[in-house]
Amino acid sequence: VTPAAPVGLSLRDTVRAADAGSAEALLHATGFFREEEVAIGRELIDETVARGAATGYSFLFADRADGSLAGYACYGPVPLTESSWDLYWIAVDPAEQGRGIGRWLLEECERRIAAAGGDQVWVDTSGRDQYAPTRGFYQSAGYTVAARLADFYAPGDAKVMFVRRLVPDGRIPREG
Amino acid sequence: VTPAAPVGLSLRDTVRAADAGSAEALLHATGFFREEEVAIGRELIDETVARGAATGYSFLFADRADGSLAGYACYGPVPLTESSWDLYWIAVDPAEQGRGIGRWLLEECERRIAAAGGDQVWVDTSGRDQYAPTRGFYQSAGYTVAARLADFYAPGDAKVMFVRRLVPDGRIPREG
């Protein structure tokens, strides 16, 4: 079952050239992505527009009725694994946060990952205080901390790895 | 200090087109790399020959006097981190194992990573029984298990993440 869309939004999984600029602006606006991350976010879209599915990155865009972007998610299978997937990020326009757009995008990513045979969704985030809301978002959505890598991003900035187990086509956690 | 070379071998950090085939044969010969991994190992060399340092991958080759390959290592900085580096793999010709070639390549990688400002070296390996010697190799070289991600590669096949902390230009562990 596809989760219900927040009012006024529609979901799109095709990538358009104009998404690169919109995504860049959105990533900037959230204040949660560093310049390098914003640049990579943009590049992944440019590359997907140029090369298509061969890049291994999939996108979900939450479009407003006027065609502007309220949020988007980027995900894909982890290379060299049988059924692990990475959720690279979810970004939501700060003006629209609190409406369930992030959760809607997350659940739709999970549904598509499960349908594609994925049984684990991995999310990396930072252990810094600023990212407490991000960690809370994933925890409340059923994700658990699989690892905490001290000083990974920088001294004092740990990588916190979340995972959620899915059952292909069922999306029911296999274990705690 | 550069570790002493095992007898008859010399170290090379420039990549040649012929290395792709030699590395592929070596990865196959070890029996530790799956087809997909061997293919990626080869691709990284082809890509580095084509694009140079822009790929972000560095190589160390252990050449025999006749120019054939006794082993090699591949490593590089982890994108979006300040000073974390990945050691992607070390492969040694099975006919030459037990001579300290792997350790020699490992220490030389660490020396170069520290000289480049890296302070953490990350190594991912499998938790399967077959990889017990690989895990023992890194443990005996001062690496500790930072995380164990159950079923990451496949059901029953965990990812074991090792780390060693370096001090830039000193290579002395900062902590346990």
Side-chain angles (χ1 to χ4, degrees):
Chain A
V1 185
T2 303
V7 173
L9 298 182
S10 59
L11 198 70
R12 170 172 55 92
D13 61 9
T14 53
V15 185
R16 301 172 186 154
D19 292 324
S22 312
E24 185 177 16
L26 197 67
L27 293 171
H28 264 300
T30 67
F32 276 91
F33 296 90
R34 289 183 294 152
E35 285 307 308
E36 280 173 281
E37 294 173 316
V38 172
I40 287 184
R42 194 197 159 103
E43 271 171 42
L44 295 186
I45 294 179
D46 285 333
E47 213 185 308
T48 302
V49 168
R51 296 175 49 216
T55 59
Y57 299 105
S58 291
F59 294 88
L60 282 178
F61 298 97
D63 289 324
R64 296 191 190 91
D66 66 1
S68 66
L69 202 59
Y72 83 104
C74 175
Y75 65 102
V78 183
L80 302 177
T81 71
E82 201 175 291
S83 45
S84 281
W85 287 61
D86 267 326
L87 178 60
Y88 297 107
W89 54 64
I90 295 180
V92 174
D93 184 335
E96 301 260 23
Q97 288 178 12
R99 292 187 55 208
I101 299 172
R103 182 66 172 261
W104 175 54
L105 288 168
L106 177 62
E107 292 186 357
E108 186 61 24
C109 286
E110 292 171 344
R111 200 183 65 78
R112 290 168 183 238
I113 290 168
D119 65 3
Q120 289 189 322
V121 183
W122 293 90
V123 182
D124 293 346
T125 186
S126 163
R128 287 169 56 206
D129 290 347
Q130 188 198 346
Y131 293 85
T134 306
R135 297 192 300 273
F137 170 77
Y138 288 107
Q139 270 161 330
S140 75
Y143 286 71
T144 54
V145 175
R148 195 178 181 287
L149 310 180
D151 303 324
F152 184 88
Y153 292 116
D157 188 358
K159 172 152 101 172
V160 179
M161 304 181 75
F162 285 96
V163 66
R164 187 178 184 201
R165 290 179 177 251
L166 308 177
V167 169
D169 292 320
R171 217 164 42 88
I172 300 151
R174 270 206 311 235
E175 58 185 75
Chain B
V1 182
T2 303
V7 173
L9 297 183
S10 59
L11 198 70
R12 169 171 57 90
D13 61 9
T14 53
V15 184
R16 301 172 187 154
D19 291 325
S22 313
E24 185 177 15
L26 197 68
L27 293 172
H28 264 301
T30 65
F32 275 91
F33 297 89
R34 287 183 295 151
E35 286 307 309
E36 281 173 281
E37 294 172 316
V38 172
I40 287 183
R42 192 195 162 106
E43 270 172 42
L44 295 186
I45 294 179
D46 285 333
E47 211 185 310
T48 302
V49 169
R51 296 175 48 217
T55 60
Y57 299 105
S58 292
F59 294 88
L60 283 177
F61 298 97
D63 288 326
R64 296 190 189 91
D66 66 2
S68 65
L69 202 59
Y72 83 103
C74 176
Y75 65 104
V78 183
L80 302 178
T81 72
E82 200 175 291
S83 45
S84 282
W85 286 61
D86 267 325
L87 179 61
Y88 297 107
W89 54 66
I90 295 180
V92 174
D93 184 336
E96 301 261 21
Q97 288 177 12
R99 293 185 55 209
I101 298 172
R103 182 66 171 261
W104 175 54
L105 288 169
L106 177 63
E107 291 186 359
E108 187 59 24
C109 286
E110 292 171 345
R111 200 184 65 77
R112 290 169 184 239
I113 289 169
D119 65 3
Q120 290 189 321
V121 184
W122 292 90
V123 182
D124 292 347
T125 185
S126 164
R128 286 169 54 204
D129 290 348
Q130 188 198 346
Y131 292 85
T134 306
R135 297 192 300 272
F137 169 78
Y138 288 106
Q139 270 161 330
S140 77
Y143 286 71
T144 54
V145 175
R148 194 178 183 285
L149 310 180
D151 304 323
F152 183 87
Y153 291 116
D157 188 358
K159 172 151 101 171
V160 180
M161 304 182 74
F162 285 97
V163 67
R164 187 178 183 200
R165 289 177 178 253
L166 310 176
V167 169
D169 292 320
R171 218 164 41 89
I172 300 151
R174 269 206 311 236
E175 58 184 76

